[in-house]
């Protein structure tokens, strides 16, 4: 049911009168509109009413008119947190779960003290020409940000409208933060934010509600540099770059900092501290949020001379090395089998056996003389491969079973032998048809949710209409099996990886080949596009990942990642890093801008078959041939939850675009739906005719 409108809240408050529940609200009077009804101030998610109690105290009462994920939990936990950790720079709040009756149903309310202050931009509109005032504002801002950093919290939407200057008598004022809809607490890290922030202050690649403790680092740096620049060149900068919806920066400055007129102006500033801080902000535009330096650490207080800002390296800071451990027998054996010593050993065995054959008595037949050394050579040559099968148990996929989910979560498709199978996520099995002449090895939904690409061992890539099962087009060009495919986020490109050591890029409208990337020395098995469609990263059996610029198809960077194969790749939602998984069961995080490895950790006992970032980039999900899916904290790489899906190897992993759940498939021809927050299997689909029927877990039945 839809939430009440602001007018419905106004009518309900008028009916309640002075009997509104809440501490100190007895006998309150509302500020009314010309019609005599309580007057709402409407925002994106809520409506705020001003109420005055008989003792003269003024309150802001907020009611929600639009659904936002986690609103109840966010404000309830925030109110509890503020009771223990009061902060003068943050507006306090009290949560009322059942505050008002509208249309026969009770709705919650947030009670906050009414703050009479001036917005930061309105204040600067009058005082931007005063270096002393701007310098004091910078001092207040640094202290406020330091209090947030020390508390380990984040506001989520730092911008001029949410920063109020509250008079305290004389020429003194206090800086306060309001609008807590996007607030971050450690206890809220498992739910996304309802805020994506003001574009003139947020990181240029903030998308899909990124929500973590590093969210405030970029806007804190933006506002600090704005105040510092206005201190040095207030009037000129304000007149040139303030457009009413910002201080001086715009979103376009962050997208192209090297061509930004504002950044060019700041780089030419006569103030050394402005020049150096602008270089830090330019670097931050291409850095991951957790790599951006905290403004308080850069400035360390208000009184800063030109030497207090040292030259800052804006590239990713090196990660501490993991503790050195003695390699296991398994690791030593893999390293040995990867080396030329295997061939040398086989040659030595051959030479030795031939030499020994000469010592065989003359009476032995020629057939025995030939058969004996041959059997010895074959036996010793096969021994390393037999040991590999023992110590690398479960690493190979016995039966490819690729699965994919449509962008809106309506359909799930999977390749079963030569057939494509489609399920409706609500009603179940929908269709099955013969799609290829040989085993299907990969499948991917177009961003429109209607077109479906499939690749197979018959060396072809085909596009289907998922609703009608009609073949729309076929792409030929690979000389070996097509083992992976991926669409760009805008749907204009389709990439495929093959055992012929190439990755090919296709135009899905004309089915023409646009590029053939053949830098790999071995067969290619994984690939992924960034969300902004600027990058394509590939992986193969030569241990390497390769990053290509999609405008020129030039190889920008590459690096060895895993002992044998880069089996899975996934881009973060902000496009600033990507993750790789390999045959060693490890997940590694890489920076797009530099190609440097940021983190590396052990995730599974066998090969990693699938990777996906959560919608907020704070989680990484992985599926392995050990039959488990796991969720990891992308910041400290700790395990959040682990789910044993089945006893069979898993073959893929794909995230629901909204981040509510993800799917994986196992080589027993089953697709599994898993709740992303709880890590519980909620539903399973099986190919019709197989031994497994559609199953619902207890978790789903309880829902």
């Amino acid at each position: 049911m839809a939430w009440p409108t602001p007018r419905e809240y106004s009518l309900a408050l008028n009916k309640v009168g002075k009997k509104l529940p809440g501490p100190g609200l007895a006998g309150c009077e509302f500020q009314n509109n010309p019609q005599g009804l309580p007057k709402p101030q409407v925002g994106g998610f809520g409506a705020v009413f001003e109420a005055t109690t008989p003792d003269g105290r003024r309150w802001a009462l907020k009611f929600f008119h639009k659904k936002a994920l986690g609103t109840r939990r966010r404000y309830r936990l925030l109110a509890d947190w503020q009771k223990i950790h009061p902060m003068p720079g943050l507006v306090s709040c009290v949560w009322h779960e059942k505050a008002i009756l509208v249309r026969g149903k009770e709705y919650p309310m947030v009670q906050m003290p009414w703050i009479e202050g001036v917005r930061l931009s309105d204040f600067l509109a009058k005082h931007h020409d005063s270096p002393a005032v701007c310098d004091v504002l910078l001092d207040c801002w640094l202290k406020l940000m330091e209090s947030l950093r020390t508390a380990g919290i984040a506001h989520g939407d730092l911008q001029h409208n949410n920063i109020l200057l509250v008079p305290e008598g004389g020429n003194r004022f206090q800086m306060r933060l309001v609008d807590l809809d996007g607030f971050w607490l450690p206890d809220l890290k498992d739910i996304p934010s309802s805020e994506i922030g003001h574009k003139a202050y947020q990181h240029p690649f903030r998308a899909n509600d990124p929500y973590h403790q590093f969210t405030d680092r970029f806007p804190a740096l933006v506002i600090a540099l704005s105040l510092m620049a206005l201190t040095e060149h207030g009037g000129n900068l304000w007149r040139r770059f303030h457009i009413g919806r910002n201080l001086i920066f715009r979103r376009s400055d962050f997208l192209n900092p090297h061509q930004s007129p504002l950044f060019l102006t700041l780089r030419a500033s006569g103030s050394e501290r402005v020049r150096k801080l602008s270089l830090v902000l330019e670097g931050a535009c291409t850095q991951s949020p957790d790599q951006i330096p905290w403004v308080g650490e850069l400035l360390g207080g208000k009184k800063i001379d030109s030497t207090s800002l040292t030259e800052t390296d804006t590239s990713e800071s090196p990660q501490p090395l993991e503790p050195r451990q003695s390699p296991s027998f398994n690791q030593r054996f893999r390293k040995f089998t990867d080396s030329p010593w295997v061939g040398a050993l086989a040659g030595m065995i051959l030479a030795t056996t031939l030499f020994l054959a000469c010592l065989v008595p003359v009476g032995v037949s020629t057939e025995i003389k030939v058969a004996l050394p041959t059997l010895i050579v074959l036996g010793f040559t096969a021994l390393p491969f037999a040991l590999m099968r023992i110590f690398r148990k479960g690493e190979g996929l016995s039966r490819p079973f690729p699965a994919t989910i449509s962008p809106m979560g309506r359909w799930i498709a999977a390749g079963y032998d030569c057939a494509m199978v489609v399920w409706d996520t609500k009603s179940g099995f929908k269709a099955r048809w013969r799609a290829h002449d040989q085993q299907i090895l990969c499948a991917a939904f177009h961003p429109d949710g209607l077109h479906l690409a499939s690749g197979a061992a018959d060396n072809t890539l085909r596009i289907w209409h998922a609703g009608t099962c009609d073949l729309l087009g076929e792409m030929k060009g690979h000389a070996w099996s097509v083992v992976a495919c991926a669409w760009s986020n805008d749907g204009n490109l389709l990439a495929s990886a093959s055992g012929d050591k190439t990755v090919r890029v296709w135009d899905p409208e004309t089915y023409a080949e646009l590029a053939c990337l053949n830098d790999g020395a071995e067969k290619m098995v994984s690939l992924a596009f960034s969300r902004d469609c600027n990058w394509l990263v590939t992986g193969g059996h030569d241990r390497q990942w390769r990053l290509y610029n999609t405008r020129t198809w030039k190889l920008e960077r590459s690096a060895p990642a895993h002992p044998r194969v880069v089996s899975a790749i996934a881009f973060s939602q902000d496009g600033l890093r990507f993750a790789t998984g390999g045959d060693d069961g490890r997940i590694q995080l890489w920076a797009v801008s530099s190609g440097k490895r940021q983190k590396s950790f052990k995730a599974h006992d066998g090969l990693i078959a699938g990777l996906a970032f959560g919608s907020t980039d704070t989680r990484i999900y992985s599926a392995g041939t050990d039959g488990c899916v796991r969720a990891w904290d992308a910041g400290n790489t700790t395990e959040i939850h682990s789910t044993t899906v089945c006893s069979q190897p898993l073959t893929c992993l794909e995230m629901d675009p909204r981040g509510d759940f993800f799917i994986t498939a196992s080589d027993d021809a089953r697709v599994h739906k898993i709740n992303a927050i709880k890590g519980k299997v909620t539903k399973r689909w099986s190919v019709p005719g197989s031994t497994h029927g559609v199953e619902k877990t207890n978790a789903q039945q309880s829902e």
Side-chain angles (χ1 to χ4, degrees):
M1 180 169 56
W3 286 68
T5 65
R7 177 171 174 76
E8 288 177 319
Y9 280 123
S10 182
L11 293 171
L13 288 173
N14 187 58
K15 184 182 298 185
V16 171
K18 301 179 180 181
K19 299 179 181 179
L20 194 69
L25 294 181
C28 66
E29 298 282 352
F30 293 98
Q31 183 185 29
N32 293 335
N33 59 20
Q35 290 76 35
L37 297 174
K39 179 182 178 181
Q41 297 184 16
V42 182
F45 294 94
V48 178
F49 296 84
E50 180 183 350
T52 305
T53 53
D55 59 2
R57 299 182 66 183
R58 300 165 67 192
W59 299 93
L61 307 180
K62 185 171 185 176
F63 300 88
F64 298 94
H65 59 78
K66 183 184 294 185
K67 181 180 180 180
L69 182 64
T71 296
R72 282 184 165 87
R73 184 179 171 194
R74 177 172 290 111
Y75 274 100
R76 185 169 59 250
L77 291 177
L78 178 58
D80 293 340
W81 183 86
Q82 287 185 327
K83 292 178 182 177
I84 305 174
H85 308 89
M87 289 184 62
L90 192 67
V91 61
S92 61
C93 68
V94 178
W95 174 257
H96 303 284
E97 181 64 37
K98 298 179 180 180
I100 191 169
L101 192 68
V102 183
R103 298 193 306 244
K105 184 178 180 180
E106 292 179 311
Y107 288 91
M109 176 186 75
V110 181
Q111 178 185 351
M112 299 171 287
W114 185 272
I115 298 183
E116 197 67 54
V118 182
R119 294 185 305 175
L120 179 61
S121 59
D122 295 337
F123 188 83
L124 285 174
K126 298 180 180 179
H127 302 286
H128 58 265
D129 275 323
S130 172
V133 171
C134 294
D135 197 34
V136 171
L137 288 175
L138 176 60
D139 185 25
C140 293
W141 181 248
L142 294 178
K143 292 179 179 178
L144 182 57
M145 291 299 97
E146 181 61 23
S147 66
L148 291 182
R149 187 190 71 83
T150 303
I153 58 179
H155 181 271
D157 189 17
L158 296 177
Q159 46 128 324
H160 61 266
N161 288 322
N162 295 336
I163 304 170
L164 296 185
L165 302 176
V166 183
E168 292 187 330
N171 294 324
R172 297 177 60 83
F173 54 84
Q174 184 185 48
M175 191 173 283
R176 303 283 292 274
L177 295 177
V178 297
D179 190 355
L180 309 180
D181 287 348
F183 211 82
W184 185 90
L185 291 170
D187 291 339
L188 295 172
K189 63 183 179 181
D190 59 337
I191 61 174
S193 171
S194 58
E195 292 280 359
I196 60 173
H198 195 298
K199 293 182 179 180
Y201 297 86
Q202 295 298 323
H203 197 282
F205 301 122
R206 180 173 177 177
N208 283 355
D209 308 334
Y211 191 51
H212 43 62
Q213 65 267 42
F214 310 114
T215 300
D216 286 347
R217 289 193 175 194
F218 189 84
L221 190 58
V222 169
I223 295 173
L225 179 56
S226 300
L227 295 173
M228 184 184 293
L230 290 175
T231 301
E232 303 291 343
H233 318 285
N236 182 39
L237 288 179
W238 188 264
R239 286 186 291 271
R240 286 184 60 190
F241 300 107
H242 177 70
I243 58 174
R245 302 185 302 276
N246 67 340
L247 293 181
I248 57 176
F249 283 96
R250 311 182 196 182
R251 175 175 170 80
S252 57
D253 296 318
F254 308 141
L255 292 173
N256 297 291
H258 300 298
Q259 301 177 7
S260 162
L262 176 56
F263 272 116
L264 290 174
T265 301
L266 297 179
R267 284 198 293 269
S269 170
S271 169
E272 185 175 0
R273 66 175 189 168
V274 170
R275 293 198 305 271
K276 292 182 177 180
L277 194 60
S278 68
L279 290 176
V280 174
L281 182 58
E282 284 187 52
C285 293
T286 58
Q287 285 180 306
S288 175
D290 60 341
Q291 301 294 317
I292 297 173
W294 187 253
V295 62
E297 297 173 353
L298 290 170
L299 303 184
K302 179 183 77 72
K303 303 302 181 182
I304 312 161
D305 57 29
S306 61
T307 61
S308 63
L309 271 177
T310 58
E311 292 292 342
T312 304
D313 183 6
T314 58
S315 62
E316 286 73 14
S317 57
Q319 298 293 324
L321 295 177
E322 297 179 345
R324 183 178 296 275
Q325 300 177 351
S326 300
S328 64
F329 173 76
N330 193 354
Q331 294 171 328
R332 292 195 299 268
F333 177 73
R334 290 186 187 184
K335 184 176 180 180
F336 173 73
T337 56
D338 270 343
S339 70
W341 289 105
V342 174
L345 178 63
M348 182 182 65
I349 294 173
L350 176 61
T352 303
T353 51
L354 290 177
F355 173 75
L356 293 176
C358 298
L359 303 179
V360 177
V362 179
V364 177
S365 65
T366 304
E367 290 79 2
I368 295 179
K369 289 183 178 180
V370 174
L372 181 60
T374 302
L375 290 174
I376 294 176
V377 170
L378 292 177
F380 278 88
T381 303
L383 180 61
F385 297 98
L387 293 175
M388 287 167 60
R389 293 294 296 177
I390 295 172
F391 289 100
R392 304 177 71 182
K393 184 178 179 180
E395 190 167 296
L397 300 181
S398 59
R399 181 184 189 139
F401 184 62
T404 180
I405 185 171
S406 62
M408 297 305 294
R410 177 183 177 187
W411 290 327
I412 290 175
Y416 181 70
D417 289 333
C418 301
M420 286 301 305
V421 184
V422 176
W423 294 272
D424 187 298
T425 54
K426 294 183 179 180
S427 59
F429 174 74
K430 181 181 184 297
R432 175 177 178 173
W433 70 95
R434 184 179 179 85
H436 289 268
D437 296 329
Q438 297 184 40
Q439 172 75 56
I440 296 175
L441 303 175
C442 61
F445 265 106
H446 187 280
D448 64 9
L450 293 177
H451 296 84
L452 175 66
S454 63
D458 58 8
N459 308 349
T460 65
L461 187 68
R462 294 176 180 175
I463 299 178
W464 308 87
H465 192 289
T468 63
C469 311
D470 293 332
L471 177 62
L472 303 179
E474 182 180 61
M475 285 148 284
K476 296 181 178 180
H478 284 294
W480 204 261
S481 301
V482 180
V483 296
C485 61
W487 295 88
S488 61
N489 197 45
D490 57 12
N492 294 328
L493 300 173
L494 175 62
S496 57
S498 171
D500 63 2
K501 306 179 184 180
T502 69
V503 170
R504 298 176 190 262
V505 184
W506 312 85
D507 184 336
E509 293 291 332
T510 63
Y511 314 116
E513 183 181 305
L514 301 178
C516 179
L517 313 176
N518 57 358
D519 299 286
E522 298 290 343
K523 60 183 180 181
M524 311 305 292
V525 297
S526 57
L527 70 166
F529 281 100
S530 61
R531 285 185 60 84
D532 58 11
C533 308
N534 291 331
W535 305 101
L536 172 68
V537 63
T538 67
H541 277 265
D542 57 357
R543 310 179 180 88
Q544 300 263 342
W545 58 259
R546 294 174 173 81
L547 185 69
Y548 294 90
N549 186 316
T550 58
R551 294 185 178 90
T552 61
W553 298 116
K554 177 184 176 182
L555 177 63
E556 298 287 346
R557 281 172 281 281
S558 66
H562 301 278
R564 292 179 180 275
V565 56
V566 181
S567 56
I569 296 176
F571 261 102
S572 63
Q573 303 291 341
D574 59 17
L576 299 178
R577 52 183 155 180
F578 61 91
T580 63
D583 58 299
D584 54 356
R586 299 188 71 84
I587 295 176
Q588 302 194 37
L589 295 179
W590 306 84
V592 172
S593 59
S594 64
K596 294 181 180 179
R597 181 171 58 191
Q598 297 178 329
K599 299 183 186 299
S600 175
F601 58 96
K602 182 73 173 180
H604 291 269
D605 292 333
L607 177 141
I608 293 179
L611 286 173
F613 277 86
S615 61
T616 64
D617 279 345
T618 57
R619 288 189 177 190
I620 300 175
Y621 299 90
S622 61
T625 54
D626 55 5
C628 296
V629 293
R630 295 187 171 100
W632 309 88
D633 188 304
N636 55 29
T637 68
T638 57
E639 183 179 298
I640 299 174
H641 60 70
S642 175
T643 305
T644 301
V645 179
C646 62
S647 60
Q648 301 296 320
L650 301 181
T651 62
C652 61
L653 181 74
E654 196 161 317
M655 196 77 188
D656 165 47
R658 291 169 294 187
D660 298 333
F661 66 90
F662 55 89
I663 65 164
T664 185
S666 52
D667 68 0
D668 57 359
R670 288 193 295 175
V671 180
H672 313 267
K673 177 182 177 182
I674 302 172
N675 183 290
I677 302 300
K678 301 177 181 178
K680 303 293 185 181
V681 179
T682 58
K683 194 171 184 179
R684 290 186 173 99
W685 295 269
S686 295
V687 175
S690 65
T691 57
H692 299 282
V694 177
E695 302 173 11
K696 292 185 179 180
T697 66
N698 293 332
Q700 187 193 22
Q701 292 170 357
S702 63
E703 292 175 357

